[in-house]
Amino acid sequence: MNPMPQSSRAPGGTDRPGTVTQTLWAVADLHGAVKDNAGMIDSIRPRDPSDWLIVAGDVAERTELVLQILNRLRKRFACVIWVPGNHELFCRSTDRYQGRAKYDELVAGCRKIDVLTPEDPYPVFDGVTVVPLFTLYDYSFRKTGSTVEQAVQAAHDRQVVMTDQFAIAPFVDIRAWCWDRLAYSIKRLSKVSGPTILINHWPLVIEPVKKLAFPELSLWCGTRHTRAWAQRYGARSVIYGHLHTPGTTVVDGVPHTEVSLGYPREWNRHLQGEWTWPYPVMEVRDA
Ligand SMILES: [Fe+2]
């Protein structure tokens, strides 16, 4: 069952009448290659067979393991929606698929196991359109007045650099890919009407990123261009991962909730406090 006792309160903290019949759950940053995370991944179970699950990136690094974990989850949940994180995009020079081709490989693999990706029609949960996004980052979360090159060099100088620089950047122009993804996403989002839930591995706003212990890391944490998306596209909530600092930040009235598991030292700490994981994004009630 779920590792944490699930709250009897609905998401958002409002008590509502009726029995929960279906739940849209969310997790991120499962880091399945870490041995001690296996028990936590195994504990991700539905409350009802009709429940859905969002997996907001960083399942693992190797495609085979990513698909294996997603397939296991798909057998438990009626619907699984996945978006890629940076770890899924990690490559080595000896890999057959690198850069954009690795993402294509993952999407093709998800199709075979019936897991939804940012390339599929958006599913609708109880009248709300659930939108899996893949927008990457473009180093625009940086101090004003410095160029991307200066900001990355400054991070190198302070030895605060994400593995992405060695495992993604050599294989693809990340900024160009990010901007392609933004254009693709806007085109599709502009056709959606009614309320939405936006899902992305990287946060859509900078506020939670500002809380990081090492400000240099913000370069690899998103793009300024998604800032207005929650309001513009009718988001009831935004679900993300990446920072390994689970919790909710309300920005312009919209809750942005990080649902990461993270590494054992992190989730062991979260277990000591108030932490609802997997996170119930939406609940359907029978009254
Ligand atoms: Fe992660």
Side-chain angles (χ1 to χ4, degrees):
M1 287 308 294
N2 296 304
M4 292 297 293
Q6 294 304 329
S7 169
S8 60
R9 294 166 75 84
T14 321
D15 286 319
R16 284 182 296 165
T19 308
V20 176
T21 55
Q22 191 185 21
T23 306
L24 171 62
W25 301 98
V27 295
D29 298 73
L30 300 178
H31 294 286
V34 177
K35 217 173 81 196
D36 286 347
N37 279 10
M40 293 298 273
I41 296 171
D42 195 50
S43 74
I44 305 168
R45 306 268 168 171
R47 193 159 44 190
D48 185 272
S50 67
D51 288 359
W52 290 22
L53 180 70
I54 292 164
V55 183
D58 277 8
V59 175
E61 293 75 20
R62 283 187 306 111
T63 299
E64 196 190 3
L65 182 58
V66 173
L67 295 175
Q68 208 178 80
I69 292 169
L70 289 174
N71 194 30
R72 221 180 301 148
L73 295 169
R74 178 62 186 85
K75 287 189 172 129
R76 297 178 199 158
F77 288 84
C79 176
V80 172
I81 302 152
W82 165 82
V83 296
N86 50 318
H87 280 248
E88 278 94 338
L89 306 177
F90 283 4
C91 296
R92 290 165 300 190
S93 54
T94 50
D95 287 345
R96 182 167 170 208
Y97 297 106
Q98 300 168 331
R100 297 186 189 222
K102 186 168 186 199
Y103 174 62
D104 294 343
E105 181 198 21
L106 284 157
V107 169
C110 283
R111 292 234 159 101
K112 283 190 194 145
I113 57 172
D114 193 29
V115 165
L116 299 178
T117 76
E119 310 312 306
D120 291 308
Y122 301 143
V124 177
F125 184 91
D126 196 32
V128 177
T129 304
V130 181
V131 180
L133 296 165
F134 166 36
T135 59
L136 214 48
Y137 55 88
D138 60 359
Y139 308 90
S140 59
F141 284 171
R142 66 179 188 274
K143 270 193 276 180
T144 44
S146 62
T147 65
V148 170
E149 290 70 23
Q150 286 166 341
V152 172
Q153 187 56 52
H156 270 276
D157 294 345
R158 294 203 58 192
Q159 297 182 314
V160 185
V161 176
M162 282 196 76
T163 311
D164 298 27
Q165 282 305 106
F166 315 102
I168 305 176
F171 307 103
V172 64
D173 182 336
I174 295 177
R175 265 184 285 177
W177 198 7
C178 169
W179 297 332
D180 285 349
R181 294 301 313 181
L182 294 172
Y184 167 84
S185 307
I186 287 168
K187 197 171 162 196
R188 293 192 59 193
L189 278 163
S190 63
K191 293 180 187 136
V192 176
S193 55
T196 64
I197 285 168
L198 304 183
I199 307 158
N200 198 36
H201 178 65
W202 298 268
L204 296 185
V205 293
I206 199 168
E207 278 79 350
V209 178
K210 282 183 170 165
K211 296 176 197 161
L212 290 176
F214 298 99
E216 291 84 359
L217 288 177
S218 62
L219 295 171
W220 295 274
C221 289
T223 164
R224 289 178 191 164
H225 297 290
T226 53
R227 170 144 200 98
W229 284 19
Q231 291 91 329
R232 193 186 303 158
Y233 302 114
R236 201 183 252 206
S237 71
V238 177
I239 299 295
Y240 69 96
H242 193 56
L243 306 179
H244 296 199
T245 54
T248 298
T249 309
V250 178
V251 178
D252 297 329
V254 181
H256 294 244
T257 302
E258 177 170 4
V259 294
S260 293
L261 173 65
Y263 297 112
R265 66 175 184 278
E266 293 162 332
W267 55 257
N268 270 309
R269 200 171 56 233
H270 306 324
L271 284 170
Q272 311 303 316
E274 268 197 36
W275 183 46
T276 305
W277 190 89
Y279 180 76
V281 183
M282 268 183 73
E283 292 171 340
V284 181
R285 287 168 187 264
D286 65 359

